[in-house]
Amino acid sequence: MKILVLGSGAREHAIITALLREQPRPSVECAPGNAGIAAEVPVVALDPNDPVAVTDYAVLNNIELVVIGPEAPLVAGVADALRTRGIAVFGPDRAAAALEGSKTFAKRIMNEAGVPTGRAVRAGSLAEAEAALDEFGAPYVIKADGLAAGKGVLVTSDRAAAVDHTTFWLEHGNVLIEEFLDGQEISLFLLSDGHSVLPLSPAQDYKRALDHDAGPNTGGMGAYSPLPWLDAQFGSENEFIDEIIETVALPTVRQLATEGTPFVGLLYCGLILTDAGIRVIEFNARFGDPETQVVLPRLLTPLSGLLFAAATGTLGTLPRPEFSADVAVTVVLASENYPQDPLVGREITGLDAALRVPGVSIAHAATAARGDTLVSTGGRVLSVVAVGASFHKARSRAYEALGQVSLEGSHYRTDIAARVA
Ligand code: AMP
Ligand code: GLY
């Protein structure tokens, strides 16, 4: 099968690594990719957000499946354009991708479908917002209604900071004031063909920049999979997954289908396990980063077959994907001053030594080759992944590998998966 992956981050690198593990190997290319991806597959200098450019390329090059990594091409209508030309695509049309792009759309779908989520009030003015802040009380949760590149959400007990954030985002549209939900967070990915879903194994993401969940929210500083503590609460991972399929994923997918916007692609359920039960914090319309880097290395079922079945409406004929009993941990190496204003263009060394640590692979997040040197090009630079028979083993491998990597001013969290090791 000839596959084109769109995107340039560690998530896309992890998707490509999983595809290349298959026997027989599918033919894979990536647009635009990064230095790590370019070392493994051909990369194409193509704007992944341009529906016409992507579609023309796919038609001319006999691409049989396009896999969309990030949200931006979804919002730009790239999946719509490919479908119109009859090309199989893993990723929802623009209308269904609003499940991620518009928090008020997502809340409406959840309410119509009876999906458990926090109470929320949409505010168009500061007066409305302040009334909602006072109704829910501290800690305050304020969300920009729209794609905000991970910067739209603030959780704070400081009312003045809550008002500042609200005032800033009101200038860009509506805000959502939400009830604070307390508990462990879980990311569960489900493949959807618009009607049926198949689950992947759950993961946990570390969103804050610093150890012990201090510092600002980021795109994600590390992750691990599976979640051994689910067993105590649900009996087993499968029982947890069954509950999410019945109460969250299928009702959502059915509601979207009923409304004429079937969801084909990856339904990312961002969940929180409160004392009162599971609640959805958010949906995303694509694989999560860095969770993908710990979920896909454990996947035993060939990924291309799953993605193609989702893209072509035949997921209902397949059994659930299988996962290795091995565990996986990833730690993200971030640039100096990430997430505020990352300093980029610096040399990265030591990857060969890092890759000699058993069980370690490195998904490139923001790298480019400058002559013979590798340089950083963004805030999250590398996602160092380690698998092992235990979390203790996988963690120590990941940190041993990170110790080999040099990038001036860079930082990473030292407590990823510590709670399960
Ligand atoms: P989101 O962009 O919606 O995923 O939010 C980013 C992060 O903010 C989440 O991963 C949570 O850690 C936190 N968060 C969002 N909504 C809530 C909520 N209602 N209660 C508590 N924490 C939240
Ligand atoms: N890991 C969070 C996200 O992908 O949105």
Side-chain angles (χ1 to χ4, degrees), residues 227 230-242:
L227 309 180
L230 280 176
D231 294 2
Q233 198 134 352
F234 293 87
S236 69
E237 176 176 307
N238 271 332
E239 286 172 70
F240 161 77
I241 288 174
D242 289 343

Side-chain angles (χ1 to χ4, degrees), residues 4 29 44 46 52-63:
L4 172 66
E29 43 194 286
V44 191
L46 191 65
V52 175
V54 171
T55 309
D56 284 350
Y57 181 86
V59 170
L60 264 170
N61 292 278
N62 304 314
I63 299 292

Side-chain angles (χ1 to χ4, degrees), residues 4-7 29-34 38 41-50 53-54 57 61:
L4 172 66
V5 177
L6 299 183
E29 43 194 286
C30 184
N34 59 37
V41 298
V43 293
V44 191
L46 191 65
D47 177 0
N49 301 326
D50 180 341
V54 171
Y57 181 86
N61 292 278

Side-chain angles (χ1 to χ4, degrees), residues 310-386:
T312 54
T314 56
L315 219 45
T317 63
L318 298 183
R320 278 193 189 180
E322 287 181 45
F323 284 85
S324 151
D326 276 352
V327 306
V329 172
T330 188
V331 182
V332 170
L333 182 75
S335 293
E336 180 173 357
N337 223 8
Y338 173 79
Q340 292 82 2
D341 187 16
L343 299 171
V344 302
R346 291 182 174 166
E347 184 174 355
I348 308 158
T349 58
L351 297 201
D352 289 344
L355 287 168
R356 280 197 286 273
V357 178
V360 165
S361 60
I362 297 180
H364 288 230
T367 62
R370 195 190 284 159
D372 281 341
T373 47
L374 185 68
V375 297
S376 57
T377 58
R380 292 189 294 172
V381 180
L382 300 171
S383 186
V384 174
V385 184

Side-chain angles (χ1 to χ4, degrees), residues 103 141 143 153 155 178-181 185 207 281-282:
K103 303 234 182 235
V141 181
K143 299 187 176 185
V153 178
V155 181
E178 217 173 275
E179 156 188 32
F180 177 78
L181 301 168
E185 285 186 45
K207 289 226 167 81
I281 306 185
E282 64 162 349

